Amino acid sequence: MPFNYERSVLLSPLEIIAVIISVIGVTLTIRRNMWCWWFNFIACALYACFFFTVKLYGETLLQFFFILMNVYGFYYWLKGKRQDHEIRIETIATKTVVLQLGLAVLGGFLFGLILKHFTDAAVPMLDSQLVAFSLLATYWTSRKHIATWILWIFVNILYVGMFSYKELFLTAALYAAFVGLAAYGWWQWEQAKQKQLGHA
């Protein structure tokens, strides 16, 4: 697939702004700061426009789901903060993890078939599976489960490969940074969980 220099030049300002806001959003999420949802909301809106132009329709649609999840996450975090006066880490049962991962695989497969047969999506099956797991990871983030960071590590590694294939190198670099941020987020939330247990 030849590199489209004109497309890259035209879209680079939008991509750069989306990258910067995304990094701020993830950093605030790691710090369990309520402002993370607003930065993530703006980043999703920008990336929805960007992904549509490069025919990553699954990712485009994902951004709109992310926007809805950001509203839900903000509400859930705010509710918890009012009750506990902080954003507390919540546990999740192993059975729930397995069940929800299975549903994500199935949902991603079915969505992939739709993209493959009814659109000109660039990489329909990979795109759809990443959409499904990203939605699950975002839901886990909204529910304050540490497992969200483990899932984000694997999802972001795959995103690096897909965006590199599409020659979206700036976004690929962003997701490579997200891998490190997710690992750091995992460590930070573990520390917060240990403090909660100590206070309990």
Side-chain angles (χ1 to χ4, degrees), residues 88-155:
R88 296 181 60 84
I89 308 301
E90 305 290 345
T91 58
I92 183 172
T94 302
K95 286 185 177 180
T96 302
V97 171
V98 173
L99 175 61
Q100 292 180 354
L101 286 174
L103 290 174
V105 171
L106 178 60
F109 176 73
L110 294 176
F111 184 43
L113 292 178
I114 294 174
L115 291 179
K116 182 177 181 180
H117 294 291
F118 296 101
T119 75
D120 60 343
V123 281
M125 299 309 293
L126 176 59
D127 192 9
S128 63
Q129 288 294 342
L130 288 175
V131 164
F133 284 114
S134 294
L135 284 174
L136 178 58
T138 303
Y139 174 70
W140 284 354
T141 301
S142 71
R143 302 293 294 186
K144 299 170 288 183
H145 299 318
I146 289 180
T148 186
W149 297 113
I150 302 172
L151 183 54
W152 274 127
I153 290 172
F154 289 102
V155 168

Side-chain angles (χ1 to χ4, degrees), residues 142-178:
S142 71
R143 302 293 294 186
K144 299 170 288 183
H145 299 318
I146 289 180
T148 186
W149 297 113
I150 302 172
L151 183 54
W152 274 127
I153 290 172
F154 289 102
V155 168
N156 288 332
I157 289 173
L158 292 176
Y159 267 128
V160 171
M162 184 178 76
F163 291 136
S164 296
Y165 169 76
K166 287 292 294 179
E167 298 182 347
L168 305 176
F169 298 118
L170 181 57
T171 297
L174 169 66
Y175 278 77
F178 279 170

Side-chain angles (χ1 to χ4, degrees), residues 18-74:
V19 164
I20 293 172
I21 294 177
S22 295
V23 170
I24 294 173
V26 172
T27 303
L28 290 174
T29 303
I30 292 172
R31 297 176 63 85
R32 293 176 293 148
N33 186 301
M34 292 292 297
W35 279 96
C36 71
W37 298 108
W38 297 108
F39 278 93
N40 291 335
F41 184 97
I42 296 171
C44 290
L46 294 174
Y47 262 119
C49 298
F50 178 68
F51 287 139
F52 183 79
T53 63
V54 294
K55 298 183 178 182
L56 287 174
Y57 302 128
E59 298 308 314
T60 303
L61 185 61
L62 175 63
Q63 303 311 307
F64 291 103
F65 281 111
F66 275 167
I67 288 172
L68 294 176
M69 288 302 302
N70 282 328
V71 174
Y72 172 76
F74 177 82

